[in-house]
Amino acid sequence: EDVASVSDDTFVCGDELRSESPDGTPLPPSRGGSMSSSRPKSLSSIVHGLDFAFMNALFVIAVGFAFSFLDLEDQIASEVGMSSRDLTTTFGVLNALGRLSVSLPLDFTRNHPWGGVYVYISGGLAIFALGILLLALPVESLESQKLLVRMANSTVAFGYGCLLGIVPPALKILFGGQHLGLIYGILYVGVAISEPVWSLLFRKSDSCSGIGCYTVYYLSCVAATGCVFLMSLSMLLRAARATNSLNTSLGTGLCANEAV
Protein backbone atom coordinates (compact mmCIF):
# COMPACT_ATOMS: atom_id res chain seq x y z
CA GLU A 1 0.00 0.00 0.00
CA ASP A 2 2.83 2.37 0.89
CA VAL A 3 4.62 1.84 -2.39
CA ALA A 4 1.48 1.99 -4.50
CA SER A 5 0.42 5.27 -2.97
CA VAL A 6 3.73 6.88 -3.86
CA SER A 7 4.86 5.18 -7.04
CA ASP A 8 2.46 7.02 -9.36
CA ASP A 9 4.89 9.88 -9.87
CA THR A 10 7.64 9.61 -7.27
CA PHE A 11 10.84 7.61 -6.96
CA VAL A 12 13.93 7.69 -4.78
CA CYS A 13 17.37 8.08 -6.34
CA GLY A 14 20.10 7.73 -3.70
CA ASP A 15 18.92 9.98 -0.91
CA GLU A 16 16.96 12.27 -3.23
CA LEU A 17 13.22 12.15 -3.76
CA ARG A 18 12.36 12.76 -7.42
CA SER A 19 9.10 13.08 -9.27
CA GLU A 20 7.98 12.52 -12.81
CA SER A 21 5.59 14.63 -14.80
CA PRO A 22 2.54 12.92 -16.33
CA ASP A 23 4.48 12.28 -19.56
CA GLY A 24 7.29 10.55 -17.64
CA THR A 25 9.80 13.40 -17.77
CA PRO A 26 11.81 13.55 -14.52
CA LEU A 27 11.30 16.74 -12.54
CA PRO A 28 14.17 18.41 -10.62
CA PRO A 29 15.35 16.53 -7.51
CA SER A 30 13.66 17.33 -4.24
CA ARG A 31 15.37 17.14 -0.89
CA GLY A 32 12.08 17.18 0.96
CA GLY A 33 12.42 13.68 2.30
CA SER A 34 8.67 13.20 2.41
CA MET A 35 7.27 9.86 1.42
CA SER A 36 4.23 11.55 -0.05
CA SER A 37 3.49 12.24 -3.69
CA SER A 38 4.33 15.59 -5.25
CA ARG A 39 0.60 16.12 -5.80
CA PRO A 40 -1.26 17.72 -2.87
CA LYS A 41 -3.13 15.25 -0.68
CA SER A 42 -6.85 15.66 -0.21
CA LEU A 43 -8.07 16.37 3.29
CA SER A 44 -10.16 13.20 3.20
CA SER A 45 -7.16 11.01 2.36
CA ILE A 46 -5.18 12.65 5.16
CA VAL A 47 -7.73 12.19 7.96
CA HIS A 48 -8.37 8.58 6.98
CA GLY A 49 -4.68 7.67 6.96
CA LEU A 50 -2.58 5.92 9.59
CA ASP A 51 -0.27 8.92 10.03
CA PHE A 52 -3.17 11.15 11.02
CA ALA A 53 -4.56 8.48 13.36
CA PHE A 54 -1.18 8.31 15.08
CA MET A 55 -0.93 12.09 15.36
CA ASN A 56 -4.37 12.15 16.96
CA ALA A 57 -3.20 9.64 19.56
CA LEU A 58 -0.04 11.64 20.16
CA PHE A 59 -1.95 14.86 20.76
CA VAL A 60 -4.76 13.37 22.85
CA ILE A 61 -2.44 11.36 25.10
CA ALA A 62 1.01 12.93 25.26
CA VAL A 63 0.33 16.56 24.41
CA GLY A 64 -2.94 16.58 26.35
CA PHE A 65 -1.22 15.21 29.45
CA ALA A 66 1.68 17.64 29.03
CA PHE A 67 -0.72 20.59 29.10
CA SER A 68 -2.42 19.14 32.19
CA PHE A 69 0.93 18.58 33.89
CA LEU A 70 2.06 22.15 33.22
CA ASP A 71 -1.12 23.44 34.86
CA LEU A 72 -0.66 21.21 37.92
CA GLU A 73 3.09 21.13 38.39
CA ASP A 74 3.00 23.98 40.90
CA GLN A 75 0.69 21.89 43.11
CA ILE A 76 3.09 18.96 42.89
CA ALA A 77 5.99 21.25 43.82
CA SER A 78 4.02 22.70 46.74
CA GLU A 79 3.77 19.21 48.26
CA VAL A 80 7.50 19.44 49.05
CA GLY A 81 7.61 23.14 49.87
CA MET A 82 8.72 24.33 46.44
CA SER A 83 7.13 26.87 44.12
CA SER A 84 6.80 26.91 40.35
CA ARG A 85 9.36 29.73 40.26
CA ASP A 86 11.98 27.26 41.45
CA LEU A 87 11.38 25.21 38.31
CA THR A 88 10.38 27.67 35.58
CA THR A 89 13.84 28.76 34.42
CA THR A 90 15.16 25.22 34.16
CA PHE A 91 12.03 24.12 32.33
CA GLY A 92 12.31 26.95 29.82
CA VAL A 93 15.97 26.33 29.01
CA LEU A 94 15.64 22.55 28.64
CA ASN A 95 12.41 22.93 26.70
CA ALA A 96 14.28 25.08 24.15
CA LEU A 97 17.17 22.62 24.00
CA GLY A 98 14.74 19.78 23.41
CA ARG A 99 13.23 21.60 20.43
CA LEU A 100 16.66 22.26 18.93
CA SER A 101 17.76 18.66 19.49
CA VAL A 102 15.10 17.39 17.09
CA SER A 103 14.62 20.19 14.57
CA LEU A 104 18.29 20.67 13.68
CA PRO A 105 19.32 17.04 13.03
CA LEU A 106 16.06 16.35 11.17
CA ASP A 107 17.36 18.48 8.29
CA PHE A 108 20.24 16.02 7.83
CA THR A 109 18.54 12.70 8.62
CA ARG A 110 15.03 13.00 7.18
CA ASN A 111 15.94 11.20 3.92
CA HIS A 112 17.36 8.19 5.76
CA PRO A 113 14.98 5.27 6.37
CA TRP A 114 15.73 5.40 10.11
CA GLY A 115 16.12 9.16 10.42
CA GLY A 116 12.62 10.50 9.80
CA VAL A 117 10.18 12.22 12.11
CA TYR A 118 9.10 9.05 13.91
CA VAL A 119 12.61 8.53 15.28
CA TYR A 120 12.46 11.87 17.07
CA ILE A 121 8.85 11.41 18.17
CA SER A 122 9.77 8.07 19.74
CA GLY A 123 12.73 9.60 21.54
CA GLY A 124 10.67 12.51 22.83
CA LEU A 125 7.96 10.18 24.12
CA ALA A 126 10.49 8.00 25.94
CA ILE A 127 12.17 10.97 27.64
CA PHE A 128 8.85 12.58 28.57
CA ALA A 129 7.49 9.35 30.10
CA LEU A 130 10.71 8.81 32.01
CA GLY A 131 10.35 12.23 33.62
CA ILE A 132 6.82 11.47 34.78
CA LEU A 133 7.90 8.04 36.02
CA LEU A 134 10.50 9.66 38.29
CA LEU A 135 7.68 11.28 40.26
CA ALA A 136 6.17 7.86 40.95
CA LEU A 137 9.31 6.50 42.62
CA PRO A 138 8.62 5.60 46.28
CA VAL A 139 10.76 7.93 48.40
CA GLU A 140 9.97 9.16 51.87
CA SER A 141 12.36 11.95 52.85
CA LEU A 142 11.51 15.51 51.94
CA GLU A 143 14.93 16.18 50.39
CA SER A 144 14.67 13.09 48.20
CA GLN A 145 11.26 14.18 47.00
CA LYS A 146 12.58 17.64 46.18
CA LEU A 147 15.38 16.06 44.18
CA LEU A 148 12.89 13.93 42.28
CA VAL A 149 10.76 16.97 41.49
CA ARG A 150 13.79 18.81 40.07
CA MET A 151 14.92 15.78 38.07
CA ALA A 152 11.41 15.15 36.76
CA ASN A 153 10.97 18.80 35.84
CA SER A 154 14.20 18.77 33.82
CA THR A 155 13.47 15.47 32.08
CA VAL A 156 9.87 16.35 31.27
CA ALA A 157 10.96 19.77 29.97
CA PHE A 158 13.44 18.24 27.53
CA GLY A 159 11.00 15.54 26.36
CA TYR A 160 8.20 18.09 26.01
CA GLY A 161 10.50 20.28 23.94
CA CYS A 162 11.34 17.33 21.70
CA LEU A 163 7.67 16.59 21.06
CA LEU A 164 6.59 20.17 20.46
CA GLY A 165 9.67 20.81 18.35
CA ILE A 166 9.12 17.86 16.01
CA VAL A 167 5.37 18.31 15.52
CA PRO A 168 5.42 21.29 13.06
CA PRO A 169 7.95 19.77 10.62
CA ALA A 170 6.35 16.34 11.03
CA LEU A 171 2.93 17.62 10.01
CA LYS A 172 4.39 19.46 7.03
CA ILE A 173 6.40 16.42 5.89
CA LEU A 174 3.60 13.91 6.39
CA PHE A 175 0.62 15.92 5.17
CA GLY A 176 1.97 18.78 3.07
CA GLY A 177 1.07 22.42 3.57
CA GLN A 178 -2.28 22.79 1.85
CA HIS A 179 -4.46 21.83 4.85
CA LEU A 180 -1.92 22.42 7.60
CA GLY A 181 -3.91 25.02 9.53
CA LEU A 182 -7.05 22.88 9.59
CA ILE A 183 -5.06 19.80 10.61
CA TYR A 184 -3.54 21.72 13.52
CA GLY A 185 -7.01 22.82 14.58
CA ILE A 186 -8.42 19.30 14.49
CA LEU A 187 -5.52 17.91 16.51
CA TYR A 188 -5.77 20.60 19.18
CA VAL A 189 -9.49 19.96 19.58
CA GLY A 190 -8.41 16.57 20.88
CA VAL A 191 -6.02 18.27 23.30
CA ALA A 192 -8.79 20.57 24.55
CA ILE A 193 -10.93 17.53 25.32
CA SER A 194 -8.22 15.32 26.83
CA GLU A 195 -6.50 17.88 29.06
CA PRO A 196 -9.36 18.22 31.60
CA VAL A 197 -9.87 14.45 31.50
CA TRP A 198 -6.24 13.92 32.48
CA SER A 199 -6.62 16.49 35.25
CA LEU A 200 -9.52 14.49 36.73
CA LEU A 201 -6.95 11.86 37.74
CA PHE A 202 -5.02 14.42 39.77
CA ARG A 203 -6.53 13.85 43.19
CA LYS A 204 -5.46 12.68 46.64
CA SER A 205 -6.99 11.87 49.99
CA ASP A 206 -7.09 14.53 52.68
CA SER A 207 -4.72 12.55 54.87
CA CYS A 208 -2.04 12.15 52.20
CA SER A 209 0.95 14.42 51.72
CA GLY A 210 3.92 14.39 49.38
CA ILE A 211 4.36 13.84 45.67
CA GLY A 212 3.50 10.16 46.04
CA CYS A 213 -0.16 11.05 46.56
CA TYR A 214 -0.60 11.41 42.80
CA THR A 215 0.80 8.05 41.73
CA VAL A 216 -2.35 7.14 39.77
CA TYR A 217 -1.95 10.35 37.76
CA TYR A 218 1.71 9.63 36.99
CA LEU A 219 1.36 5.95 36.14
CA SER A 220 -1.70 6.53 33.95
CA CYS A 221 0.41 8.89 31.87
CA VAL A 222 3.33 6.46 31.69
CA ALA A 223 1.09 3.59 30.60
CA ALA A 224 -0.74 5.61 27.96
CA THR A 225 2.45 7.24 26.67
CA GLY A 226 4.05 3.80 26.49
CA CYS A 227 1.28 2.70 24.14
CA VAL A 228 1.86 5.74 21.92
CA PHE A 229 5.60 4.98 22.02
CA LEU A 230 4.95 1.47 20.69
CA MET A 231 2.69 2.94 18.02
CA SER A 232 5.47 5.33 17.06
CA LEU A 233 7.96 2.48 16.71
CA SER A 234 5.46 0.67 14.50
CA MET A 235 5.05 3.76 12.31
CA LEU A 236 8.83 4.12 12.13
CA LEU A 237 9.18 0.53 10.94
CA ARG A 238 6.40 1.04 8.40
CA ALA A 239 8.02 4.20 7.01
CA ALA A 240 11.47 2.57 6.85
CA ARG A 241 10.08 -0.42 4.95
CA ALA A 242 8.30 1.87 2.51
CA THR A 243 11.48 3.86 1.89
CA ASN A 244 13.60 0.75 1.37
CA SER A 245 10.97 -0.75 -0.93
CA LEU A 246 10.89 2.40 -3.04
CA ASN A 247 14.66 2.52 -3.29
CA THR A 248 14.79 -1.12 -4.31
CA SER A 249 11.89 -1.36 -6.74
CA LEU A 250 12.02 2.09 -8.34
CA GLY A 251 15.17 4.01 -7.52
CA THR A 252 17.68 1.33 -8.48
CA GLY A 253 16.42 0.86 -12.00
CA LEU A 254 15.80 4.53 -12.70
CA CYS A 255 19.13 5.65 -11.32
CA ALA A 256 20.87 2.95 -13.36
CA ASN A 257 19.18 4.29 -16.48
CA GLU A 258 20.53 7.77 -15.68
CA ALA A 259 24.04 6.43 -15.50
CA VAL A 260 23.86 4.82 -18.95
Side-chain angles (χ1 to χ4, degrees):
E1 179 182 353
D2 293 317
V3 176
S5 66
V6 182
S7 61
D8 293 341
D9 61 355
T10 306
F11 66 91
V12 178
C13 183
D15 64 349
E16 295 179 345
L17 191 68
R18 303 190 177 191
S19 298
E20 289 183 349
S21 61
D23 63 357
T25 304
L27 298 176
S30 169
R31 305 294 296 188
S34 171
M35 291 306 300
S36 58
S37 169
S38 60
R39 293 170 297 187
K41 293 183 177 181
S42 69
L43 183 60
S44 176
S45 67
I46 290 174
V47 299
H48 289 96
L50 287 177
D51 291 306
F52 187 79
F54 170 80
M55 282 296 172
N56 259 315
L58 176 68
F59 271 68
V60 167
I61 293 176
V63 179
F65 181 89
F67 282 20
S68 169
F69 179 79
L70 291 176
D71 287 340
L72 299 171
E73 188 179 24
D74 59 334
Q75 295 185 46
I76 297 173
S78 67
E79 292 285 342
V80 291
M82 300 173 64
S83 70
S84 59
R85 288 178 296 180
D86 299 324
L87 307 172
T88 301
T89 301
T90 301
F91 192 98
V93 171
L94 290 174
N95 176 30
L97 290 176
R99 292 171 187 254
L100 288 174
S101 71
V102 296
S103 58
L104 291 181
L106 179 64
D107 290 338
F108 302 97
T109 67
R110 57 184 289 183
N111 291 317
H112 192 279
W114 302 101
V117 295
Y118 287 111
V119 172
Y120 300 100
I121 292 175
S122 299
L125 287 168
I127 295 170
F128 180 80
L130 175 61
I132 300 299
L133 185 60
L134 289 174
L135 292 171
L137 295 179
V139 294
E140 297 295 334
S141 70
L142 182 61
E143 290 304 316
S144 296
Q145 291 189 48
K146 285 184 177 181
L147 178 61
L148 280 184
V149 169
R150 294 186 184 277
M151 291 173 60
N153 177 70
S154 300
T155 309
V156 168
F158 191 83
Y160 176 77
C162 290
L163 293 176
L164 271 292
I166 198 61
V167 161
L171 296 183
K172 180 65 168 63
I173 290 171
L174 294 173
F175 307 129
Q178 185 175 9
H179 305 290
L180 199 56
L182 181 57
I183 290 170
Y184 256 113
I186 295 173
L187 293 174
Y188 272 102
V189 167
V191 174
I193 295 172
S194 66
E195 179 186 355
V197 174
W198 278 117
S199 298
L200 289 176
L201 298 175
F202 189 81
R203 58 180 62 189
K204 68 170 187 174
S205 64
D206 294 336
S207 60
C208 186
S209 62
I211 61 174
C213 299
Y214 307 106
T215 301
V216 172
Y217 180 71
Y218 309 142
L219 294 184
S220 297
C221 166
V222 173
T225 304
C227 292
V228 181
F229 174 77
L230 293 178
M231 292 170 60
S232 182
L233 292 182
S234 176
M235 296 299 291
L236 170 61
L237 181 61
R238 171 178 172 267
R241 285 175 173 172
T243 303
N244 287 330
S245 180
L246 279 169
N247 275 309
T248 301
S249 63
L250 299 174
T252 303
L254 290 170
C255 290
N257 289 337
E258 286 186 356
V260 175

